[in-house]
């Protein structure tokens, strides 16, 4: 069973809690790639990742602004009021700890020790141990936004 399925079964998050955790894990993913681009001195990559960071932040902002999670519809977000989501912070934080494990910054900020359920924590840790090879394979695969794809 995938850890995300186990997390859904164990934590029983609401749609808003799950979306907030997914949105924030996306932010952490981009920050991880941004950090790598900075370490590599890949300045065009830094610029591309900053653009992705803005997009990921806008997605989370939209979740916080849309109580109905109107995901398929294209709304103008300008001027949308903040809507206090009905979400349990502890549940969202545990979900983030599950979803953020594939990302370096996510592992640093959200260690598996934040996951209260021992079975879920064990599954996430087990998957993380098996994950470095897959993550390395994905990193070696060509990306759509490689700096070589853009003229200097």
């Amino acid at each position: 069973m995938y850890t995300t399925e186990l997390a859904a079964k164990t934590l029983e998050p609401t749609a808003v809690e799950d979306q907030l955790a997914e949105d924030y894990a996306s932010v952490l993913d981009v920050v991880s790639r941004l950090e790598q681009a900075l370490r590599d001195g890949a300045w065009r990559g830094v610029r591309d990742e900053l653009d992705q960071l803005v997009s990921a932040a806008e997605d989370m902002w939209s979740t916080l602004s849309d109580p109905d999670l109107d995901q398929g519809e294209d709304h103008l977000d300008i001027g949308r009021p903040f809507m206090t989501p009905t979400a349990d912070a502890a549940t969202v934080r545990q979900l983030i700890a599950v979803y953020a494990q594939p990302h370096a910054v996510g592992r640093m900020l959200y260690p598996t020790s934040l996951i209260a359920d021992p079975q879920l924590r064990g599954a996430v840790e087990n998957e993380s141990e098996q994950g470095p090879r897959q993550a390395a394979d994905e990193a070696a695969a060509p990306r759509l936004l490689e700096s070589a794809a853009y003229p200097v």
Side-chain angles (χ1 to χ4, degrees):
M1 179 180 286
Y2 292 104
T3 56
T4 54
E5 292 172 354
L6 182 58
K9 183 179 176 183
T10 303
L11 300 173
E12 299 178 344
T14 65
V16 173
E17 291 166 344
D18 189 56
Q19 190 62 51
L20 286 170
E22 285 182 18
D23 289 345
Y24 190 62
S26 294
V27 169
L28 295 173
D29 173 36
V30 175
V31 170
S32 292
R33 293 193 319 257
L34 176 62
E35 196 277 328
Q36 182 63 51
L38 281 166
R39 266 192 282 148
D40 294 344
W43 306 120
R44 185 168 296 275
V46 169
R47 184 172 178 233
D48 292 341
E49 295 307 337
L50 287 170
D51 185 50
Q52 294 298 313
L53 182 60
V54 169
S55 179
E58 286 175 343
D59 288 345
M60 190 168 188
W61 185 89
S62 183
T63 298
L64 290 169
S65 301
D66 190 354
D68 296 326
L69 293 176
D70 293 329
Q71 292 179 9
E73 300 178 28
D74 188 21
H75 294 290
L76 289 176
D77 287 336
I78 298 171
R80 236 186 201 175
F82 171 74
M83 304 297 289
T84 303
T86 304
D88 177 59
T91 300
V92 173
R93 189 167 168 85
Q94 288 185 71
L95 283 169
I96 292 168
V98 172
Y99 298 162
Q101 292 309 303
H103 317 297
V105 172
R107 287 188 302 275
M108 189 170 40
L109 294 175
Y110 294 88
T112 56
S113 61
L114 295 174
I115 303 169
D117 183 86
Q119 182 183 4
L120 178 57
R121 183 175 52 248
V124 171
E125 289 170 348
N126 190 27
E127 188 173 278
S128 294
E129 289 172 5
Q130 296 172 358
R133 178 176 290 170
Q134 181 183 359
D137 292 344
E138 289 174 6
R143 293 184 56 212
L144 293 176
L145 297 176
E146 286 182 353
S147 58
Y150 298 99
V152 178

